[in-house]
Each structure stands twice: as structure tokens, then as C-alpha cells.
């Protein structure tokens, strides 16, 4: 491999199929057809990294079904190391139906009861792969239910103990949590461990229940172990905060067709640059 000297970034979490309507601006019920697209935020990040010349691996679980095998093949086709992907013979690969509103924003309906990604056990983690990483990246969906939560915690601990940088994008998906309070609590339960956190302005508002435009509200999310906090503001760009300096970068003006995966592309490119 040409990039053998390139630092490895390992992402852990869910990989699934997104069914996206072939027409924007209609509800799920009104949609006449759906296109199947690979999804799952940590898997999106892993693919974004390799597309930019970085080196990544994905750790997670899919079902022993056509969708699961398709997803593993897509990882490999994108140059992502898939040695950490397990296959479950009893559970299906997760599905999400996504609707695009007229403004390009999304609504989700999930099929996971339980899906294979939720059944990843700590005994199935590829620890040698995790320990090779320079950065270990994850979200919060893998914290929702057991046994996946324990696997997530064990992987995070192994990475932390090995001195690997921890990157966290909570990726709030409320329909997957028992309640909004459970989501807040679950997402914040591992907050103080991360070295790098990326949140959207909507997520700042959700987590703090305050005004995301106010700096003191954003900084209420700061913790002492944190090296960098980035807030993405959609078309307005992003704001960044470190212990010593802060600033903002304006966005690019584009016609928004579909914002699905935009945050993951941002994280992937950010981690490669870092």
C-alpha cells in the first residue's frame, strides 16, 4: 500500500443502508420510490478519510445478508480496512428511511429491532487494529443499547490507555433513543473522555437547551481533557474553540440538495488534516 506510512484513523459504530426517496420534498408516505445508499455516520467518516488520501479502518457489525455483504464490499472498494467488521448470522443489517424536506434537511425512520450493529460484543472487537490507530473516532448511537454499549466503552478505554487521540461526533438521532432525556444523558456520559468533539449548532441547542449562537452556551460543553471543540453552523461555516484560541471559518455557498453525510464528510476531512 502506498500510504503505509500514513497514520491510521479507526472509526467504530453503525453501518447501515439508507433508503433515500428519488424525489425531494415529499414525506415517506408520499414517496413513490427509494434509492439504496450506504450509510452510518462512522462508516461515512471512514470512507471520507480514504477518499482524501488518508488511511482508515472501520469496526462494527452487519447482518449476514445481501445488504451487509454489500456494505463490507463498499468499504473495501473505498480502500477502508474492514478487518474489524463482524457478521451476525441471526440479526439483519440496519435500515433507515430518510426523507428530504424541501429545504434539504432530513427526517429519519429506522428499522433496528435489534439490528446487527447493536449486537457487537466486546469479545468481537479487533483490539490489535484499534491499538494501531493514531485517532479513534466514534459517535453515540453505539451507546444506546447492550451489548454494543459495553463494546464501545471497552474500545474507547483500550484506545485511551494506548495514548490514542479520541474523536467524538455525537450525531444526535432522537428516534433511536428511549427519550430526549435519555439521549442527553447517554451522549454526555462519555463527553469528558474525548480529545476532539464536533457538534452541530442544533446539537448544541439540544444538549444545553440554550441558544447555540451564544458563546457561553457553547463553552458550557467544554471540559478539561478537551483539546478542540468544533461547532458546525450549516451554511454559515463553523466555529472552533481550544484552551488558548478560538475562531470561525465561513462556509461555501452551494445549492443544498441533500445534507445527509455532510457532517461526516466534514469530520473525515478534518481528521485527515489533523
Amino acid at each position: 500500500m502506498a500510504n503505509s506510512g500514513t497514520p491510521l484513523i479507526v472509526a467504530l459504530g453503525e453501518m447501515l443502508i439508507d433508503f433515500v426517496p428519488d424525489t425531494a420534498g415529499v414525506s415517506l408516505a408520499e414517496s413513490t420510490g427509494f434509492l439504496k445508499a450506504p450509510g452510518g455516520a462512522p462508516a461515512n467518516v471512514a470512507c471520507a478519510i480514504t477518499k482524501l488520501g488518508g488511511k482508515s479502518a472501520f469496526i462494527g457489525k452487519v447482518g449476514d445478508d445481501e445488504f451487509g455483504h454489500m456494505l463490507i464490499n463498499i468499504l473495501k472498494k473505498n480502500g477502508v480496512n474492514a478487518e474489524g467488521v463482524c457478521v451476525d448470522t441471526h440479526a439483519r443489517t440496519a435500515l433507515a428511511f430518510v426523507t428530504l424536506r424541501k429545504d434539504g434537511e432530513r427526517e429519519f425512520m429506522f428499522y433496528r429491532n435489534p439490528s446487527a450493529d447493536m449486537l457487537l460484543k466486546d469479545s468481537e472487537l479487533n483490539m490489535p487494529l484499534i491499538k494501531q490507530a493514531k485517532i479513534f473516532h466514534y459517535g453515540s448511537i453505539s451507546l444506546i443499547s447492550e451489548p454494543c454499549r459495553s463494546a464501545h466503552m471497552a474500545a474507547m478505554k483500550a484506545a485511551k490507555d494506548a495514548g490514542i487521540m479520541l474523536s467524538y461526533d455525537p450525531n444526535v438521532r432522537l428516534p433511536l433513543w428511549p427519550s430526549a432525556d435519555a439521549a442527553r444523558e447517554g451522549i454526555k456520559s462519555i463527553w469528558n473522555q474525548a480529545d476532539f468533539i464536533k457538534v452541530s449548532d442544533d446539537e448544541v441547542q439540544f444538549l444545553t437547551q440554550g441558544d447555540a449562537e451564544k458563546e457561553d452556551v457553547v463553552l458550557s460543553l467544554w471540559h478539561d481533557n478537551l483539546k478542540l471543540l468544533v461547532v458546525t453552523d450549516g451554511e454559515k461555516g463553523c466555529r472552533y474553540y481550544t484552551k488558548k484560541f478560538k475562531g470561525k471559518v465561513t462556509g461555501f455557498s452551494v445549492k443544498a440538495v441533500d445534507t445527509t453525510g455532510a457532517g461526516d464528510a466534514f469530520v473525515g476531512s478534518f481528521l485527515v488534516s489533523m
Side-chain angles (χ1 to χ4, degrees):
M1 276 177 81
N3 60 359
S4 56
T6 312
L8 177 67
I9 302 169
V10 174
L12 169 130
E14 68 284 357
M15 178 164 64
L16 51 112
I17 302 285
D18 281 340
F19 282 98
V20 190
D22 52 15
T23 344
V26 294
S27 69
L28 279 178
E30 293 163 343
S31 295
T32 50
F34 293 90
L35 303 165
K36 89 179 184 285
N44 288 345
V45 170
C47 288
I49 288 163
T50 56
K51 286 176 182 178
L52 294 165
K55 188 172 159 189
S56 70
F58 176 76
I59 292 179
K61 198 175 203 181
V62 292
D64 187 10
D65 48 45
E66 288 213 19
F67 288 146
H69 294 293
M70 175 191 121
L71 289 168
I72 292 171
N73 286 332
I74 289 172
L75 285 181
K76 290 177 178 169
K77 222 180 276 176
N78 280 285
V80 176
N81 178 324
E83 288 164 25
V85 181
C86 303
V87 173
D88 194 297
T89 48
H90 302 295
R92 294 271 190 228
T93 302
L95 308 178
F97 284 82
V98 187
T99 54
L100 299 179
R101 299 205 309 257
K102 289 197 166 54
D103 60 1
E105 281 300 326
R106 308 144 300 168
E107 284 163 6
F108 293 88
M109 183 167 77
F110 294 92
Y111 283 69
R112 323 165 75 220
N113 57 337
S115 53
D117 60 288
M118 300 160 73
L119 301 175
L120 180 70
K121 299 195 279 283
D122 55 4
S123 59
E124 296 171 317
L125 290 170
N126 186 328
M127 286 300 194
L129 184 60
I130 292 171
K131 288 174 183 166
Q132 286 169 40
K134 189 88 177 159
I135 299 174
F136 180 61
H137 176 75
Y138 46 86
S140 71
I141 290 171
S142 39
L143 297 171
I144 297 173
S145 54
E146 291 292 358
C148 189
R149 181 186 164 84
S150 292
H152 180 129
M153 301 304 280
M156 231 170 70
K157 185 183 185 309
K160 192 93 177 157
D161 290 350
I164 295 161
M165 184 176 160
L166 301 187
S167 160
Y168 184 25
D169 175 1
N171 241 310
V172 177
R173 295 282 176 270
L174 275 183
L176 295 179
W177 292 87
S179 68
D181 286 339
R184 253 181 233 107
E185 196 181 319
I187 287 164
K188 286 180 165 173
S189 68
I190 59 167
W191 199 261
N192 293 350
Q193 315 228 19
D195 298 291
F196 166 59
I197 294 176
K198 173 257 163 191
V199 271
S200 69
D201 48 358
D202 292 344
E203 288 164 343
V204 171
Q205 195 258 317
F206 171 72
L207 292 169
T208 63
Q209 294 174 286
D211 181 351
E213 289 188 19
K214 296 201 168 113
E215 190 165 298
D216 58 332
V217 171
V218 173
L219 289 175
S220 69
L221 294 172
W222 184 265
H223 65 79
D224 284 343
N225 299 325
L226 201 53
K227 294 177 179 67
L228 176 65
L229 174 66
V230 172
V231 179
T232 52
D233 289 312
E235 70 282 1
K236 296 199 289 285
C238 72
R239 291 170 277 167
Y240 57 91
Y241 302 87
T242 72
K243 282 189 178 81
K244 297 202 167 86
F245 59 90
K246 60 182 188 196
K248 63 181 212 205
V249 181
T250 53
F252 297 91
S253 179
V254 295
K255 182 188 180 300
V257 176
D258 179 357
T259 57
T260 310
D264 304 327
F266 178 95
V267 171
S269 57
F270 203 98
L271 295 179
V272 167
S273 308
M274 206 144 58

